[in-house]
Amino acid sequence: MTQTNNNMTVNPDLAMERAKCNFNVLEVTHIFDGGERNTLQRKKIEDVALNSGASKDALGEEHMSPKEKYENAVRKSCIYATMMKNELAELSGLESFGVSSPVIRRTADAFFKEVSPFLLHLGMFVPTIMGQCTPEQQSYWLPRALDMQIIGTYAQTELGHGTFIRGLETTATYDPETEEFVLHSPTLSSYKWWAGGLGKTVNYCIVVAQLYTKGECHGTHPFIVQIRDEDTHVPLPGIKVGEIGPKMGFNTADNGFLGFDHYRIPREHMLMKNAQVLKDGTYVKVARHGKLTYGTMVFVRVVLVNEVAFNLAKASTIAVRYSAIRRQSKPKPDEVEPQILDYVTQQHKLFIAIATAHALQLCSTWLWESFSAVLAQMKGGNTDTLPEFHALSSCLKAISTSDSAHLIEQCRHACGGHGYMISSGIPNLYNFVSATRTYEGDYTVLLLQTARFLVKAYEQAEAKKPLTPTVSYLAHAFSGSRATWDNSPDGIIRSFQALAAGKTAVCVTNMRKRMRAGLSQVDAWEMSTIQLVAAAEAHCRAVIADTYRKEIVRLTANSSPNVKVVMDQLTTLYLYYWALERTGDLLMFTSVSQKDLVDLQIAYEELLLKIRPNAVGLVDAFDLRDELLHSTLGSYDGRVYERLMEEALKSPMNKEPVSDAYSKYLRPMMKGKL
Ligand SMILES: CC/C=C\C/C=C\C/C=C\C/C=C\CCC(=O)SCCNC(=O)CCNC(=O)[C@H](O)C(C)(C)COP(=O)(O)OP(=O)(O)OC[C@H]1O[C@@H](n2cnc3c(N)ncnc32)[C@H](O)[C@@H]1OP(=O)(O)O
Ligand SMILES: Cc1cc2nc3c(=O)[nH]c(=O)nc-3n(C[C@H](O)[C@H](O)[C@H](O)COP(=O)(O)OP(=O)(O)OC[C@H]3O[C@@H](n4cnc5c(N)ncnc54)[C@H](O)[C@@H]3O)c2cc1C
């Protein structure tokens, strides 16, 4: 593994772990990156972007005031944007800055401990222009956005509504006299709230508003709206805009609020790929599917699966390396204190994080390929695969973000007290990833979208109609007998599918019972939503497990024997872990016995011991440079205690021997003079 400094002194425990590793680390890096070519390209990009030291701060971000933090993030965003235009675009194979890629995203993380104020420009503004504009509109807006002549965001959520998009209150009323839309915020709850970069950074945004023309409401539609002067950056008349204040994370993203007072924009600023308003105010629906204006959200949900896999890889790298250098307790009085990584409970906390990072990374690539296929079909006017894809991307977004947030927190627990330090890097990772569970569609809400699809698919299976690929297992849901338990990987995946089918069947049965007892369909659905969420979760686990297993078998077909073994161990660990987490469900829906579960627990514990010697090698294979980890605990050299002390000494509190608080408060209080 290449490191920036080849002459570094490495902590002896870490050096010993690396010597113990029995597989070719680089081969696993290639698997994680999706091939050797990708690894080489990533490294080139990282070298250019990071070797100059431009990503570093003189003073740690955590010691800055909110205003300084924001300005510093803008400064570095501009440096990175300029690098993208000049050096990185060609290297990354991208035509220009703006069309981001996972590699560019992950490299950018070296510049920010939190996030860039440009995240929404790249993540949603540019993709919306690409996905929702007519070709003419695109040719006007896209070059300006890609070249960063304008900076934008995506303002959909309002104070009063985020989930329920149809409930948004901002209005865009067409005036045929002037051929303009009049944007208005009729209530406090209609103020746009949350959009990243809106507070201070952007001068344009996509605004989602209820479209009125000829006195009729046509539902929510996207508009491109200038909110600040292109030269002075002063908010334009009729615009009320500001920053929403401190948050748990995202503090360098200047999330903002926005209100309109009868603010006029040209007719052409409605994004008209899917629906149009003609000059005379006639509304014309173009799209064949009613939800295509939700396209940017679907895109970001797909991107997020990759994003959280990467962040989980970071957290597990930090926690595993730290666990290799940390020694604590003395279970055997005559021996030295063991590395905490030797405790089986510690392995139980950490190895699932490594396996999940792999599972999500491979699922994200597969999801991206499925998305590309759906987009290609839609280009030809066929939207048949969209419902299945919406169900799939919804549950994968929900489960990947939720699992990653949980496992990152588990990595923090695994680092004891030091994991609570901002300098460990884990709190920032957690704050970032826990937000992903909420934004771009809340966890529960998205799983309920998947559940709608599952229930419909179940009814199709019942009627012996054909099923789409991800739910084809529902065809076996009516055999009447419980699925046969078998602890092989394929057997466990079949059991996960049986759980999903069984849970869906229970929901359908309960809803039907409730409706027979007099409840409306809506109320019967509502009463069953706890189980519906559980069914969607089970479906998603089955999809992840199946995809992870198939992809690893495919990707390791030509790998060296030890790489095959260790990758197989990780996938098996993932399957055992989730089977053991769901023993109650397995007992309900499969033939598993108490003895089978006891045996599975033992097999799981033995698997942890087998993976243990390769644990550091496995996280080294994520190949995360120190600049990306921002961690005193997780650096490649393992100089944990030295770095913790170096960081402590940087604290502004240590600048003077006696704090001003002594003379102001402590002394008067102690001398009884307060
Ligand atoms: C390059 C990238 C760089 C970096 C990446 C890193 C980070 C990410 C970047 C940015 C992200 C940062 C910040 C986050 C920004 C945001 O949060 S933006 C705001 C996002 N908001 C949401 O996600 C709102 C969630 N709500 C919804 O999606 C919908 O309202 C709903 C799905 C919950 C419900 O919609 P309704 O219109 O009410 O529909 P319904 O009545 O429930 O369903 C009707 C039918 O429509 C189907 N459907 C719903 N959505 C879709 C869709 N997207 N596609 C296809 N079909 C859809 C639904 O299934 C129903 O179908 P039926 O057949 O069952 O009737
Ligand atoms: C860091 C961050 C950045 C963001 N950036 C942006 C941005 O750039 N642009 C933008 O437009 N938005 C942005 N958002 C907003 C985000 O998209 C919404 O917060 C998110 O979609 C959730 O909606 P909500 O806040 O209305 O939650 P709510 O819907 O109010 O959810 C609250 C609770 O109610 C439950 N609930 C709601 N509806 C249902 C239902 N039908 N059935 C069962 N339970 C339900 C939820 O599960 C949740 O537990 C951002 C949010 C965050 C946290």
Side-chain angles (χ1 to χ4, degrees), residues 323-324 326-332 335-343:
S323 299
R326 179 75 164 177
R327 290 177 176 272
Q328 190 90 246
S329 307
K330 232 172 188 293
K332 295 179 185 165
E335 290 183 14
V336 292
E337 289 179 277
Q339 295 161 284
I340 57 174
L341 193 52
D342 285 335
Y343 294 116

Side-chain angles (χ1 to χ4, degrees), residues 120 154 156-157 162-163 194-196 250 255 438-442 444-445:
L120 264 286
Y154 185 85
Q156 177 173 289
T157 306
T163 291
W194 269 122
F250 270 73
N255 296 81
T438 299
Y439 69 61
E440 222 57 68
D442 160 79
T444 308
V445 168

Side-chain angles (χ1 to χ4, degrees), residues 289-364:
H289 191 284
K291 300 294 176 190
L292 291 186
T293 51
Y294 293 177
T296 311
M297 289 183 283
V298 176
F299 161 75
V300 177
R301 286 170 195 154
V302 172
V303 170
L304 280 173
V305 182
N306 184 268
E307 187 73 15
V308 294
F310 174 49
N311 283 291
L312 183 56
K314 287 192 210 170
S316 53
T317 301
I318 295 168
V320 168
R321 286 185 182 159
Y322 175 69
S323 299
I325 74 98
R326 179 75 164 177
R327 290 177 176 272
Q328 190 90 246
S329 307
K330 232 172 188 293
K332 295 179 185 165
D334 299 335
E335 290 183 14
V336 292
E337 289 179 277
Q339 295 161 284
I340 57 174
L341 193 52
D342 285 335
Y343 294 116
V344 176
T345 46
Q346 189 79 351
Q347 296 160 14
H348 175 53
K349 286 174 214 166
L350 294 179
F351 296 172
I352 183 64
I354 303 175
T356 305
H358 275 274
L360 297 181
Q361 172 74 7
L362 297 182
C363 283
S364 82

Side-chain angles (χ1 to χ4, degrees), residues 120 124 153-164 192-197 208 247 249-250 255 297 301 431-432 434-436 438-445 448 525-526 529 533:
L120 264 286
M124 295 195 81
T153 184
Y154 185 85
Q156 177 173 289
T157 306
E158 298 174 354
L159 254 180
H161 291 92
T163 291
F164 184 50
K192 293 294 173 190
W193 196 267
W194 269 122
V208 179
K247 294 142 296 187
F250 270 73
N255 296 81
M297 289 183 283
R301 286 170 195 154
N431 290 340
F432 176 72
S434 72
T436 63
T438 299
Y439 69 61
E440 222 57 68
D442 160 79
Y443 174 85
T444 308
V445 168
L448 287 173
W525 170 272
E526 180 55 38
T529 46
V533 166

